[in-house]
Amino acid sequence: MALRDGSRYLTNVRDALARIQEAAHRLKVFPLPSAVLLPGGVLPLHIFEPRYRAMVRDAVDGDGVFAMAQVLPGQEGALAGVPDLDPMLCVGVVSMHELMEDGRSNLVLTGVCRARVLREWPREKPYREVEAEALPDADYQGPEDAALRAALFELMARVPSELGQRIAQVTSGARGGALADVVVASLVSDPERRFEILCQLDVPSRLSTVTEDLMELVSRIKPPRKPEGLLN
C-alpha cells in the first residue's frame, strides 16, 4: 500500500477554492446517491470501479479536485451506465489517499464549495466530466447566524460533555453559510436532507433551516438532571 498525503491540496480554503475555480471548466464528477458531501465536511470513499480508479489517479496526480454528484430521481438504478445528473454538486479536494496494490484505493474528500453543472462534455475518459459554475458563499453575519450558534450551545448543554466538546471543535471559527454546512455535515446522516441543504444557496435561509432542524433535535433530548441538594 502507498499512503499519499493530500495536504498539499489544502494549504488553505482560498487556495483550494482557486483550484476548484480553475478546474470547473472541465470538472471530474463521481455520481453516488448514497453519499452527499457538504462544504466543510469530509467524505471517506473506497474506490474500486476501473473508471473511478482512473478518475482518482488523474485527480491525485493533478490538482486533487473532483465533485460528488447526485442523480435525478428514478435514475438510481442506472449507476453502471450514464444516469442523468442533478445540476447541484459539491466540489472537494483529496485530503488523504491510500493506494492499494490491486489498484483500489481509500481516500478522504474534503468539501470546499457548491457548484452547478452547466453542461456535460463528450466522453473522452472512462469517467464523466462537466463544465460547472463554482458557487462559493458570500461572507455573511447576521441574526440567523447568531440563532444557529445559540441552538448549538443549547445542544451542547444537553449532550455528554465529550460529544459537546467535539461539536464545539468542528464548529469553532465557522461563520455564515459555512456554519450551517458544518453542522449538517457533522450531525445529519440522511442523504436526502443533506442534499436539500446543499441545494439552499441563500445563506440566511440555509441558516434558518438548519436552526429549525437543530432545535427540533434539541427538543427530543432531555435536559441534564441537576445534582440533588443544590439550590436553583
Side-chain angles (χ1 to χ4, degrees), residues 142-199:
E144 297 87 358
D145 183 289
L148 179 52
R149 199 162 297 279
L152 273 171
F153 285 135
E154 181 65 26
L155 175 65
M156 288 186 287
R158 296 189 180 217
V159 298
S161 59
E162 183 178 338
L163 176 57
Q165 290 170 5
R166 288 203 299 269
I167 293 171
Q169 183 177 18
V170 298
T171 58
S172 176
R175 296 290 183 272
L179 177 60
D181 288 338
V182 75
V183 168
V184 175
S186 302
L187 299 177
V188 178
S189 59
D190 179 62
E192 290 186 8
R193 189 55 172 164
R194 288 168 68 96
F195 189 64
E196 288 173 1
I197 300 301
L198 182 68
C199 292

Side-chain angles (χ1 to χ4, degrees), residues 129-151:
E129 297 175 294
V130 301
E131 180 181 2
E133 174 190 12
L135 300 169
D137 286 335
D139 291 338
Y140 179 81
Q141 188 169 356
E144 297 87 358
D145 183 289
L148 179 52
R149 199 162 297 279

Side-chain angles (χ1 to χ4, degrees), residues 22-164:
E22 184 174 347
H25 177 66
R26 198 173 191 101
L27 181 65
K28 303 172 184 66
V29 292
F30 184 5
L32 189 61
S34 61
V36 178
L37 180 65
L38 286 149
V42 295
L43 181 65
L45 293 167
H46 177 66
I47 307 298
F48 58 90
E49 286 190 58
R51 55 181 168 171
Y52 296 122
R53 292 186 194 184
M55 183 195 73
V56 168
R57 182 175 60 249
D58 289 349
V60 298
D61 287 343
D63 54 20
V65 172
F66 67 90
M68 298 303 299
Q70 296 296 297
V71 301
L72 293 181
Q75 299 276 311
E76 295 85 358
L79 287 177
V82 188
D84 294 327
L85 300 178
D86 191 286
M88 187 59 63
L89 310 169
C90 183
V91 192
V93 296
V94 176
S95 50
M96 187 280 289
H97 178 236
E98 180 186 36
L99 179 64
M100 300 180 182
E101 294 178 357
D102 63 1
R104 293 177 297 123
S105 61
N106 295 315
L107 64 84
V108 175
L109 189 68
T110 298
V112 177
C113 78
R114 292 164 172 79
R116 180 186 291 115
V117 175
L118 301 177
R119 62 169 171 155
E120 184 164 357
W121 291 102
R123 189 74 63 89
E124 294 181 357
K125 299 180 179 179
Y127 51 86
R128 301 170 72 174
E129 297 175 294
V130 301
E131 180 181 2
E133 174 190 12
L135 300 169
D137 286 335
D139 291 338
Y140 179 81
Q141 188 169 356
E144 297 87 358
D145 183 289
L148 179 52
R149 199 162 297 279
L152 273 171
F153 285 135
E154 181 65 26
L155 175 65
M156 288 186 287
R158 296 189 180 217
V159 298
S161 59
E162 183 178 338
L163 176 57

